[in-house]
């Protein structure tokens, strides 16, 4: 049975401090001892006793001496003397009495050559004299070590901050990436190219230089890059686009050069740059011109990707959710050979993503993954992961041993609409107004042709709304018809019309602000972008979605005349008024159904699809069961895939600002 290798324990703060102290002690003491012993060397002189020295002086066997500090005599014998079975020519002796005049007289009588010198300095005195030099030397050692460090060290601004994924880094296999099969296939081909390049080069193919992952936020672009790192088995350098640019001039370009130098040294390898739009924006955009630090960084990146010098074996993978702002030179073949779209998952993809995130969680038998996937169109991978996580947290809060479907449904409402505001106390009149507002949306959704099936109506306050009514498409949708758009406009004004019909014009509230905002946006695009107005025709009037920072609108001429702009405004007003009047007609014809749905909302607070169907058929709702304290009544809820242009959920009256 194999054992899992243990991760080495990082050194403690005390351990690092002790190593630092030991280093500096060595730096200071080693030179001191070297100087001390070098300066105080006795040139091989042997220490003898004073008695032996006196005998040799009496025998006239001393040639010359040197008196050191009046305490020590060093000298040489005329003839070597055997001391401790060893022949001694040079000697050293300590005087019993310092500065003895009688000792000098004895030496002079024997004709010995006498010299004198000061004693060598002690260690303490030497330290005092050398302390300034030691400090200077230590400072330079510290400075050089900082210069040689990486990342945030001094004089290393130009070093790349790329992280190299090693064998100890947790791997993400492709099996954990669901919902984007086409993108996986393209990236798997790159991985196969790295593992077996001859399979492709024998037919004349070349290694792709780059792949750009494009898609909305949360669709799994970074996750796919991590999966590539886990599957490739080659060095993988990861870096963010914001890590290139600093406040110092030339740092970004230097880091790009250093990054590709590391890549070339480890080729074949993969370099991943997340959020490349931070450095890859269109050059010359805005007011600042084209000579800023960011553009220098981009120029260096363009050269490294496809310049005179070859970077064979280095594949650049980048991710962005703003491909519209990238420089065209960055997107051409030879730099980014492939643009891989990672879009929001379809029904099958959402089901696969939910299964991946539910894999390690105890799920109850009543959890229907297919139904949950159908009720979450438009949700990205990150949204689904958050939904499953919120469901698990909610189940734990309710002391459940497993995650039940009721927990996931509640989590879905929480993710889409916000937490339930149980502390909000509404007056009876406000609850009645909210009920009729949502009932107006519901009746229009039921009776207007082109609306998606009504999925849920509730007057339970969530987020900034007091209630919500929304529809759910039966299938994933990639486009919207003219009939569906007009039906959504009618449904949007159903709440406002119901307030006016029941409570009178003077009692109409500001609660329809979000409905009006959504409807106005749809109507303007209906006329100016989608070409659905018979009076304007299939013409694009203006480009309101263009970003001002790109500089395209700063000095450009006006493309829409005053007359055309006036016609557009008139057409937008006409479309909105027609939708408002149609909503009034529908609610007038089905006033009885409006009252029935409103009273049911006041009684139940939440109506699901089956409840609404029963009310439309003229039936009565079954007796309401007492709700559990920790498990409120829950029904499926979602927003459709085409909600980007016109969301299929309509909020009730918003909370008025204080």
């Amino acid at each position: 049975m194999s054992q899992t290798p243990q991760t080495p324990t990082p050194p403690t703060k005390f351990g690092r401090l002790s190593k630092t102290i030991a280093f500096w002690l060595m730096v200071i003491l080693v030179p001191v001892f070297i100087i001390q012993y070098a300066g105080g060397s006795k040139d091989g002189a042997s220490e003898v006793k004073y008695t032996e020295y006196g005998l040799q002086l009496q025998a006239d066997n001393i040639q010359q001496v040197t008196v050191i500090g009046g305490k020590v005599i060093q000298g040489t014998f005329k003839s070597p003397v055997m001391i401790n079975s060893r022949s001694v020519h040079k000697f050293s002796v300590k005087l019993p009495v310092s500065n003895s005049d009688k000792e000098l007289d004895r030496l002079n009588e024997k004709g010995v050559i006498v010299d004198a010198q000061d004693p060598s300095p002690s260690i303490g005195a030497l330290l005092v004299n050398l302390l300034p030099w030691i400090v200077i030397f230590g400072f330079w050692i510290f400075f050089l070590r900082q210069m040689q460090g990486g990342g945030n060290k001094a004089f290393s601004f130009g070093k790349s901050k790329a992280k190299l994924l090693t064998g100890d880094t947790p791997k993400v296999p492709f099996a954990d990436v669901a919902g984007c099969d086409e993108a996986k296939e393209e990236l798997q081909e790159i991985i196969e190219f790295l593992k077996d390049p001859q399979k492709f080069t024998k037919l004349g193919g070349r290694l792709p230089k780059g792949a750009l992952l494009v898609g909305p936020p949360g669709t799994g672009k970074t996750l796919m890059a991590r999966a590539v790192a886990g599957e490739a088995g080659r060095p993988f350098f990861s870096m963010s686009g914001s890590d290139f640019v600093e406040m110092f001039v030339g740092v970004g370009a230097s880091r790009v050069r250093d990054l590709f130098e590391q890549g070339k040294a480890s080729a074949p390898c993969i370099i991943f740059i997340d959020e490349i739009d931070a450095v890859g924006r269109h050059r010359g955009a805005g007011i600042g011109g084209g000579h800023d630090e960011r553009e220098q960084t981009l120029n260096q990146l363009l050269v490294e990707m496809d310049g005179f010098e070859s970077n064979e074996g280095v594949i650049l993978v980048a991710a962005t959710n703003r491909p519209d702002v990238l420089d065209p030179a960055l997107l051409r073949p030879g730099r980014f050979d492939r643009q891989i779209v990672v879009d929001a998952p379809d029904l099958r993809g959402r089901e696969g993503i939910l299964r991946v995130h539910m894999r390690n969680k105890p799920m109850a038998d009543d959890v229907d993954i297919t139904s949950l996937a159908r009720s979450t169109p438009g949700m990205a991978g990150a949204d689904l992961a958050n939904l499953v996580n919120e469901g698990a947290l909610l189940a734990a809060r309710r002391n459940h041993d497993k995650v039940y479907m009721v927990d996931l449904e509640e989590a879905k409402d929480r993710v889409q609409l916000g937490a339930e505001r149980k502390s909000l106390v509404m007056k009876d009149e406000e609850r009645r107004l909210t009920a009729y507002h949502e009932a107006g949306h519901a009746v229009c959704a039921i009776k207007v042709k082109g609306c998606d099936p009504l999925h849920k109506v509730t007057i339970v306050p969530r987020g900034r709304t007091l209630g919500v009514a929304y529809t759910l498409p039966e299938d994933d949708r990639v486009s919207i018809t003219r009939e569906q758009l007009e039906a959504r406009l009618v449904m949007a004004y159903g709440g406002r019309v119901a307030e006016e019909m029941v409570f009178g014009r003077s009692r109409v509230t500001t609660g329809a602000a979000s409905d009006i905002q959504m409807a106005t946006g749809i109507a303007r695009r209906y006329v100016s972008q989608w070409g659905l107005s018979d009076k304007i025709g299939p013409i694009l009037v203006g480009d309101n979605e263009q970003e001002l920072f790109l500089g395209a609108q700063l000095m450009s001429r006006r493309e829409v005349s005053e007359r055309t702009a006036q016609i557009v405004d008139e057409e937008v007003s006409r479309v909105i008024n027609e939708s408002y009047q149609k909503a009034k007609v529908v609610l007038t014809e089905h006033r009885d159904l409006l009252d029935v749905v409103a009273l049911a909302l006041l009684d139940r607070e939440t109506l699901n699809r089956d409840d609404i169907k029963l009310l439309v058929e003229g039936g009565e709702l079954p007796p309401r069961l007492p709700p559990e304290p920790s498990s409120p009544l829950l029904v499926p809820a979602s927003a459709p895939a085409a909600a980007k242009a016109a969301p299929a959920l309509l909020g009730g009256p918003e909370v008025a600002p204080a």
Side-chain angles (χ1 to χ4, degrees), residues 14 119 146 156 211 255 307 356 367 373 413 429 431 446 492 545 549 557 566 575 600 605 641 653:
F14 177 77
Q146 293 293 100
S156 64
R255 287 179 177 175
V356 168
V367 174
D413 287 350
E429 184 179 358
R431 286 187 77 251
I446 296 169
E545 294 186 354
F549 72 86
R557 63 182 180 86
Q566 184 179 356
V575 172
E605 291 189 337

Side-chain angles (χ1 to χ4, degrees), residues 48 90 112 283 306 334 391 409 415 444 471 519 624 657:
V48 300
K90 295 182 179 181
V112 178
R283 288 171 292 180
D306 189 20
E409 294 287 356
V415 170
C444 289
T471 60
R624 183 176 61 173

Side-chain angles (χ1 to χ4, degrees), residues 437 441 491-493 495-496 511-520 649-654:
H437 184 104
H441 289 312
M491 182 183 175
Y493 286 106
R496 175 67 174 266
S514 59
D515 301 331
I516 296 174
Q517 181 181 4
M518 184 194 69
T520 304
L649 77 87
L650 294 171
E654 293 187 351

Side-chain angles (χ1 to χ4, degrees), residues 43 53 62-76 91-95 104 107 112-119:
D43 297 328
Y53 157 76
I62 296 179
Q63 184 176 2
Q64 62 89 23
V65 297
T66 301
V67 182
I68 301 174
K71 295 180 179 181
V72 178
I73 294 179
Q74 293 182 2
T76 57
F91 69 92
S92 174
V93 62
K94 294 181 179 179
L95 298 177
L104 291 176
L107 292 171
V112 178
I113 301 174
V114 180
D115 193 10
Q117 75 178 41
D118 293 329

Side-chain angles (χ1 to χ4, degrees), residues 511-553:
S514 59
D515 301 331
I516 296 174
Q517 181 181 4
M518 184 194 69
T520 304
I522 295 176
R524 186 162 293 279
R525 291 191 291 271
Y526 181 99
V527 175
S528 62
Q529 295 184 24
W530 298 332
L532 299 178
S533 170
D534 296 332
K535 194 170 185 179
I536 296 295
I539 301 175
L540 176 64
V541 182
D543 191 5
N544 297 326
E545 294 186 354
Q546 188 171 10
E547 298 290 341
L548 183 62
F549 72 86
L550 293 178
Q553 295 182 350

Side-chain angles (χ1 to χ4, degrees), residues 178-339:
C180 41
D181 296 336
E182 295 81 3
K184 285 170 59 176
E185 290 178 1
E186 298 222 26
L187 291 176
Q188 281 178 332
E189 185 176 331
I190 295 177
I191 293 174
E192 291 179 5
F193 214 130
L194 287 172
K195 292 182 176 180
D196 188 14
Q198 295 181 357
K199 176 181 177 182
F200 302 89
T201 55
K202 67 180 181 181
L203 299 178
R206 64 173 179 82
L207 189 70
K209 292 189 176 180
L212 181 64
L213 302 177
V214 179
T219 53
K221 299 183 295 295
T222 305
L223 181 64
M224 289 198 79
R226 293 173 60 190
V228 170
E231 297 284 347
R234 297 300 306 167
F236 188 92
F237 298 91
S238 175
M239 193 171 178
S240 173
S242 60
D243 290 336
F244 288 104
V245 181
E246 293 275 2
M247 63 179 291
F248 303 100
V249 177
V251 171
S254 177
R255 287 179 177 175
V256 171
R257 287 192 295 269
D258 184 72
L259 175 62
F260 278 86
E261 287 176 1
Q262 295 181 44
K264 286 185 242 181
S266 305
C269 69
I270 298 175
I271 295 175
F272 174 65
I273 301 178
D274 201 4
E275 305 295 345
I276 196 174
D277 52 278
V279 294
R281 291 181 181 265
H282 201 291
R283 288 171 292 180
I287 304 176
H291 294 286
D292 59 358
E293 174 66 12
R294 180 185 57 78
E295 295 193 4
Q296 294 182 27
T297 305
L298 175 58
N299 291 335
Q300 185 63 41
L301 181 62
L302 296 176
V303 172
E304 293 291 344
M305 291 183 68
D306 189 20
F308 279 100
E309 296 186 5
S310 175
N311 287 322
E312 294 294 335
V314 180
I315 298 178
L316 180 63
V317 179
T320 181
N321 53 21
R322 294 296 309 276
D324 55 314
V325 304
L326 295 180
D327 195 277
L330 190 63
L331 300 176
R332 72 163 177 83
R335 292 195 171 107
F336 282 118
D337 296 308
R338 297 182 180 181
Q339 293 190 29

Side-chain angles (χ1 to χ4, degrees), residues 140-154:
W140 276 107
I141 292 293
F142 174 78
F143 193 67
L144 291 174
R145 290 185 65 188
Q146 293 293 100
M147 290 177 60
Q148 295 173 359
N152 59 349
K153 304 295 185 177

